[in-house]
Amino acid sequence: MRAVIQRVSSASVSIDGKEKSAIGEGLLILLGIGHEDGQEDIDWLVKKIAGLRIFNDDAGIMNRSVVDVGGEALVVSQFTLMASTRKGNRPSYMGAAGHEMAIPLYEQFCDALSVAIGRPVGTGEFGADMKVALVNDGPVTIGMDTKNKE
């Protein structure tokens, strides 16, 4: 599982010109799911994201988590995060899980993150052509890969 986590002042996702989800201060999470991903990846990634200290404390130091600041989360599926660019100029998406595997893992991830942060999580729509808007706060953008935990 790969994630790009962005600290945002606001973010939204729209499908066919209609807003599906929107958040204020919090995290926009772009999530890629691979063939080898499972519950262990979800558990590790959710724990890391919920505890990630990237929000400022009273001294202006990034020392608070999304939970600490009462922030929101928006999770958007993005199979392109699983791209391999080893050969040529056209990315290969062979590492991305198919719908039958990825959709349940995406939903499990969103449910687990909701529990971890203590509030509902906004979502996109798996496989849809989505338009994502955000105001990246900082900017702060962090990449994580459950296959590269060290």
Side-chain angles (χ1 to χ4, degrees):
M1 222 168 251
R2 292 181 184 158
V4 173
I5 300 108
Q6 296 179 300
R7 183 179 78 180
V8 297
S9 298
S10 62
S12 65
V13 62
S14 298
I15 302 165
D16 295 329
K18 296 178 184 167
E19 187 175 85
K20 166 92 168 64
S21 296
I23 63 168
E25 179 185 42
L27 300 174
L28 170 63
I29 302 158
L30 305 175
L31 184 68
I33 299 169
H35 293 292
E36 299 175 6
D37 292 333
Q39 190 63 49
E40 181 180 325
D41 298 283
I42 292 170
D43 295 343
W44 183 84
L45 195 54
V46 163
K47 182 178 178 183
K48 290 295 278 189
I49 290 172
L52 195 60
R53 298 185 314 171
I54 59 172
F55 292 88
N56 293 345
D57 62 16
D58 293 337
I61 310 244
M62 286 195 289
N63 201 28
R64 300 180 79 199
S65 71
V66 67
V67 176
D68 296 332
V69 300
E72 299 178 276
L74 173 58
V75 181
V76 177
S77 62
Q78 189 169 354
F79 79 95
T80 59
L81 286 176
M82 303 310 293
S84 172
T85 56
R86 290 182 188 175
K87 294 182 180 178
N89 293 322
R90 177 176 286 189
S92 168
Y93 302 106
M94 297 295 292
H99 282 68
E100 65 285 342
M101 179 183 173
I103 291 173
L105 289 175
Y106 171 74
E107 291 171 350
Q108 290 168 21
F109 176 87
C110 292
D111 290 344
L113 185 62
S114 178
V115 170
I117 68 170
R119 62 187 318 154
V121 169
T123 63
E125 182 178 312
F126 197 94
D129 182 16
M130 297 175 275
K131 305 301 180 209
V132 179
L134 69 139
V135 177
N136 191 321
D137 182 16
V140 175
T141 303
I142 296 172
M144 290 186 188
D145 188 329
T146 62
K147 304 305 185 225
N148 186 18
K149 296 177 186 171
E150 299 184 21

